[in-house]
Amino acid sequence: MSAGTTKGIAGMFPAFNGGLSSEGVEEEDVISLGDATVGGLRGSLDACVKCTICETNCPVMRVTDLFGGPKYSGPQAERFRQKGQIVDKSIDYCSSCGTCSLVCPQGVKVTEIIHHRRTEMKIAMGIPVRDRLIGRTSLIGTMMTPVAPIANWALDVKPIRMVMEKVIGVHRSAPMPRAYGRTFEGWFKKHKPLPSSGERGQVIFFHGCAGQYFEVETSIHCVLVLEHLGYEVLVPKHGCCGLALQSNGLYSDARKYVSRLTDDLRKVNRGAPIVSASGSCAGMLRHEAHDILEMDTPELEDVGSRTWDICEFLLDLHDRGELDTDFQRIDVTIPYHAPCQLKSQGLGLPAMEVMGLIPGVKVVESQQPCCGIAGTYGMKKEKYAVAQAVGAPVFDFIKQVNAELAACDTETCRWQLRTATGANVVHPIWLIHKAYGLPNG
């Protein structure tokens, strides 16, 4: 869908209409930029010089007039807001991709400012039941896994999806997770470690809820690669990081999830690196829980400081001359999209560098800021067309470079790209696993 088409359908979108609403949100969910974050978020906005770099890089503003833009919705409007005042409803169309904060030359925390004010608006208006449901990924996974074939079939039945759209507010064509049929932790309990496991110490694997229920193959590949490299992999029982809850304005619930998760990850070797294949979940522990939820606990600091993205971890090993590069040759050109959640952490492109170590592999990067899904943003009926327009350049890129196989680091982005292109969109670890010639598990 072209940008012009999306602009033309502006009248079709309600400013805030995601489904049934619910009251009773705790007061602690509202964060005052005027008090709690003086010198932090509130202080950063005064550095804005209205250069419009954030606007020229905003993927949402590029395709629709429904969003006023990061400069307007963030620092400009914040200067005139009073505590408790409802903000312009157009702020709800920010996808929280983080691009504006990433490109700001003055270090203004634009995304974070917008996130807080949008949450304040949603709380005042009543957070939709839809947003409360889709933010609980582990609950959805628990319900779908035992009936995986039926659940996956239902997601392809148009009448069922139309009812979902009407009743819940999830667009009938939105990408949805597919149940795997067994959990990752169930597989891990029966898994016999590779002979090389433990030769180089221990690592903790943080699978996240998507890696537990939907992207189980990715979690398995991570374990096998880490064991091949000589690590004993520890997987303490743990749940969701709360990112989807946070993204949907449920701050107090998200804080509880983060606290529970940090406690769980600290139940085993507290000196071991924590490795994750979920770039967004790792980002929650490394910076979002602190920057958005304003959590500042010793437990979060400990866990966040030890958390690595899997490809970041492998690249660090390579830089220290400790990565096994005895890869099998794979002659393939891989279109690769770096998710906005990963870019916001300032990691660079470790997946692209690691995949490039494999003989015969040529990696081509999309050079696009966002695929449009932005967690649960692109699933919502009122934002679906915007998300598709944002992602269109990435969709076209994959179809042009390799319409059969592509790579991307985060789960929801892979769901978006698979649905839109029909390609097998895999985590980069899939290629590393294949190049090492490891068993499928």
Side-chain angles (χ1 to χ4, degrees), residues 232-250:
E232 178 187 359
V233 180
L234 307 178
V235 183
K237 186 174 180 59
H238 61 272
C240 180
C241 70
L243 177 60
L245 291 169
Q246 170 199 284
S247 298
N248 284 285
L250 298 164

Side-chain angles (χ1 to χ4, degrees), residues 219-240:
S219 297
I220 293 173
H221 287 170
C222 287
V223 169
L224 294 175
V225 167
L226 290 168
E227 288 181 347
H228 171 76
L229 294 173
Y231 292 98
E232 178 187 359
V233 180
L234 307 178
V235 183
K237 186 174 180 59
H238 61 272
C240 180

